Amino acid sequence: TQDRSTTRIIMTDAGISMDEQLIARILDKSYNPEKSGQGWGYKIIIEVLARLQGTLSIDASSGKGNKITITFN
């Protein structure tokens, strides 16, 4: 979706929803994937988005998959 000053890319899936703890860990800027070996993809995406003045949000509240939104202002 897009309005005059914001562009959003929205992706959804019908898989298993992420739990709140996992979402919080993914979105935590201080998260270090070296400790667990997991989460590198999201870490890289968040770093790139920060340089492009973008954000990432994850909504799994439906319990039926995840809605991932990338926003550029």
Side-chain angles (χ1 to χ4, degrees):
T1 62
Q2 185 174 354
D3 62 36
R4 291 183 181 169
S5 62
T6 303
T7 300
R8 288 184 190 86
I9 301 168
I10 301 170
M11 299 164 278
T12 59
D13 68 55
I16 298 171
S17 295
M18 293 184 215
D19 63 47
E20 290 180 25
Q21 290 177 341
L22 177 57
I23 293 171
R25 192 173 75 216
I26 288 170
L27 298 177
D28 179 357
K29 289 183 177 25
S30 66
Y31 173 65
N32 185 349
E34 288 182 11
K35 294 177 184 176
S36 68
Q38 298 177 331
W40 281 106
Y42 280 110
K43 182 69 173 175
I44 292 167
I45 290 168
I46 290 170
E47 292 291 326
V48 169
L49 288 173
R51 292 173 189 223
L52 298 173
Q53 298 178 346
T55 60
L56 174 81
S57 65
I58 302 171
D59 178 9
S61 62
S62 71
K64 298 178 182 176
N66 305 289
K67 178 180 175 183
I68 299 171
T69 304
I70 296 173
T71 304
F72 296 97
N73 292 315

